[in-house]
Amino acid sequence: MFKFLKDKLKDAAKKFSKEAEEVTEEPKVEEKVKEEVKEEIKEELEEVLDEKTSEKVAEEVVKESKEEIIEDIPKEEPKKEKLSFKEKLKKAVSKKISSKKFEELFDELELSLLEANVAVEVIDRLKEGLKMEIVDIPIKGKVDEFILEKLKDNIKELFKEELDLVEVIKKSEKPYVIVFLGVNGSGKTTSIAKVAKLLQSNGLTCVLAAADTFRAAAIDQLQLHADKLGVKMIKHDYGSDAAAVGFDAIKHAKNKDVDVVLIDTAGRMHSNSNLMDELKKVIRVVNPNFKIFVGESIVGNDCIEQSRKFSSSVGVDGIILSKADVDEKGGTAISISYVVDKPIIYLGTGQGYGDIEKFSVSKLMDSLGL
Ligand SMILES: Nc1nc2c(ncn2[C@@H]2O[C@H](COP(=O)(O)OP(=O)(O)OP(=O)(O)O)[C@@H](O)[C@H]2O)c(=O)[nH]1
Ligand SMILES: [Mg+2]
């Protein structure tokens, strides 16, 4: 999962590391370090020698960079562990990436990010963030580790606060109504079955609403899941009013004291205005607590574009990113939440009922090697 993006980020960090320049103020730093070391040596010598001699010897030691001279001077106490002159100097020298180098290196990283399905606006956001934290900043230690750390910080900031839907449902009044929406084949019906199973394992009851009255066999497909899971499904005929199915399912839930209503809807392209109007009607009639956009991780920028359109026309409260198990790229996962400005709730990680993972930013960072 997301290996492509992981490899590209690691490669970029290596390239930044290779291109980082040593900071040019080295002579100035060297003078400062020399002065410090001289003072330290002088202080130590004064314990056994007079001030003038100590000063002279200290000066000589630093000038010649000959630390062995002080080895011969008798000590009253064992010398505290100190860094050698060379070690201090090494510590004082840092690396940096100039603005020009950054632009060059980021151009290359940008291509990799595009290839990994990262949205353009996310790339712009990352560039701004990284620029501020990397350009002309003295880097101590390993440059590639520094770069990966900065990538991690900036990618983390793309996400909303995590949302535990099951906990939200538990705290809400019943029935809690959720509508699943998205384009054709994105995984809505499968996700409903997975969520139903998840709710069951958390001690919550649910009813399914077969409000995809549009696609042939959609009702039978959901019925199959309902039967396997042992949950009630409310249906009307094919071609009937989708909003009415949702309405009836809510009525059923209220009568039977069911905790959650999961409403399946027909897949639709945002460009199909008839079907978008129908979806608006469903939402108006059932007035859901939560609208989940189900998007396919693998389709990349199309998925981002669809989520943006659904969000602006009917509103989206959270995202299920399906088929993450077959997505090697990973860019959709780091982009969609930022674009829609809503949290990813779950990742779909397979076709089985148990293949649903509560989304966690730190887990995502792990899979990106950050
Ligand atoms: N590998 C994998 N396959 C998935 C996942 N979620 C759904 N699928 C598969 O994707 C296909 C489409 O899933 P559906 O749940 O029917 O999608 P839908 O959005 O309801 O489709 P329409 O109702 O036609 O719009 C099925 O073959 C599912 O098994 C997932 O997380 N991982
Ligand atoms: Mg479906």
Side-chain angles (χ1 to χ4, degrees):
M1 197 160 81
F2 311 152
K3 189 175 177 303
F4 184 86
L5 184 54
K6 178 183 174 182
D7 291 345
K8 293 293 178 187
L9 295 176
K10 204 167 152 203
D11 286 352
K14 271 195 202 138
K15 280 189 186 134
F16 271 80
S17 177
K18 222 171 113 211
E19 298 286 333
E21 303 149 41
E22 287 210 338
V23 173
T24 48
E25 59 188 357
E26 194 176 323
K28 230 167 72 200
V29 174
E30 187 168 331
E31 276 318 305
K32 204 167 148 256
V33 171
K34 270 185 179 170
E35 198 52 41
E36 264 177 45
V37 173
K38 194 184 110 183
E39 275 311 305
E40 272 174 26
I41 295 172
K42 192 183 145 209
E43 250 173 54
E44 261 180 56
L45 293 176
E46 273 174 359
E47 288 172 15
V48 285
L49 301 170
D50 64 80
E51 197 190 332
K52 229 173 144 191
T53 320
S54 302
E55 166 106 32
K56 212 172 143 232
V57 176
E59 219 157 63
E60 202 176 324
V61 172
V62 172
K63 199 167 137 209
E64 307 275 324
S65 190
K66 274 190 192 162
E67 298 202 52
E68 60 274 17
I69 297 180
I70 46 174
E71 302 291 309
D72 304 333
I73 297 167
K75 297 276 167 340
E76 282 174 351
E77 282 175 37
K79 212 170 30 139
K80 274 185 275 164
E81 217 184 311
K82 288 219 170 82
L83 292 174
S84 74
F85 174 60
K86 278 189 195 114
E87 280 166 337
K88 270 206 158 189
L89 190 60
K90 197 169 153 213
K91 255 192 112 192
V93 173
S94 44
K95 296 202 167 181
K96 73 165 188 172
I97 290 155
S98 67
S99 173
K100 188 168 162 273
K101 266 274 169 298
F102 177 83
E103 293 292 333
E104 276 172 34
L105 289 162
F106 197 88
D107 279 353
E108 217 175 303
L109 175 59
E110 181 167 359
L111 289 179
S112 303
L113 293 173
L114 284 171
E115 218 183 325
N117 283 336
V118 180
V120 175
E121 63 217 271
V122 168
I123 295 177
D124 291 345
R125 166 77 176 70
L126 288 177
K127 185 172 180 181
E128 281 317 302
L130 290 171
K131 202 193 244 176
M132 285 207 311
E133 291 173 24
I134 291 177
V135 170
D136 284 341
I137 303 287
I139 307 167
K140 305 268 184 204
K142 290 193 168 166
V143 178
D144 53 346
E145 283 172 13
F146 174 86
I147 300 292
L148 286 173
E149 200 55 39
K150 295 299 164 199
L151 278 165
K152 180 177 177 174
D153 294 347
N154 279 276
I155 292 176
K156 260 183 164 175
E157 280 173 17
L158 297 168
F159 292 94
K160 309 288 119 203
E161 215 178 296
E162 286 171 18
L163 189 147
D164 189 333
L165 188 59
V166 172
E167 285 309 308
V168 172
I169 292 171
K170 282 182 177 168
K171 285 184 197 139
S172 305
E173 257 180 56
K174 14 167 140 173
Y176 192 89
V177 180
I178 307 175
V179 172
F180 290 71
L181 37 94
V183 305
N184 311 73
S186 67
K188 297 174 292 300
T189 307
T190 310
S191 296
I192 286 180
K194 291 175 181 178
V195 170
K197 173 92 180 164
L198 193 71
L199 293 172
Q200 285 178 329
S201 59
N202 280 278
L204 293 162
T205 54
C206 64
V207 55
L208 312 186
D212 179 358
T213 57
F214 184 74
R215 181 173 63 78
I219 300 174
D220 304 323
Q221 185 192 354
L222 191 66
Q223 184 74 64
L224 217 63
H225 290 309
D227 292 346
K228 276 193 193 157
L229 294 163
V231 297
K232 174 86 179 162
M233 184 188 90
I234 302 297
K235 63 175 177 184
H236 291 185
D237 290 335
Y238 283 103
S240 64
D241 182 15
V245 183
F247 186 82
D248 278 358
I250 296 171
K251 206 163 76 187
H252 171 88
K254 283 180 178 159
N255 287 339
K256 304 283 179 188
D257 201 29
V258 174
D259 297 312
V260 188
V261 181
L262 303 173
I263 302 179
D264 194 14
T265 63
R268 64 201 81 212
M269 294 304 290
H270 53 79
S271 50
N272 184 329
S273 59
N274 285 345
L275 280 175
M276 284 312 272
D277 285 345
E278 186 215 47
L279 185 59
K280 283 180 191 162
K281 184 180 170 196
V282 172
I283 289 166
R284 207 167 53 241
V285 171
V286 304
N287 188 25
N289 299 83
F290 208 84
K291 298 183 285 291
I292 294 184
F293 176 81
V294 182
E296 279 175 282
S297 191
I298 30 173
V299 300
N301 276 305
D302 283 343
C303 176
I304 303 290
E305 210 37 50
Q306 292 148 9
S307 66
R308 196 201 310 273
K309 292 277 168 44
F310 271 82
S311 172
S312 66
S313 65
V314 294
V316 164
D317 301 305
I319 299 149
I320 290 182
L321 203 56
S322 68
K323 310 184 191 182
D325 53 313
V326 282
D327 181 15
E328 279 303 298
K329 296 207 164 176
T332 318
I334 70 161
S335 306
I336 196 163
S337 185
Y338 180 76
V339 170
V340 182
D341 200 26
K342 293 291 174 211
I344 299 175
I345 315 289
Y346 298 113
L347 289 183
T349 54
Q351 294 181 301
Y353 292 147
D355 296 330
I356 183 164
E357 247 177 46
K358 189 173 166 298
F359 181 73
S360 136
V361 178
S362 63
K363 237 174 148 183
L364 176 70
M365 292 302 144
D366 282 350
S367 58
L368 293 178
L370 297 173

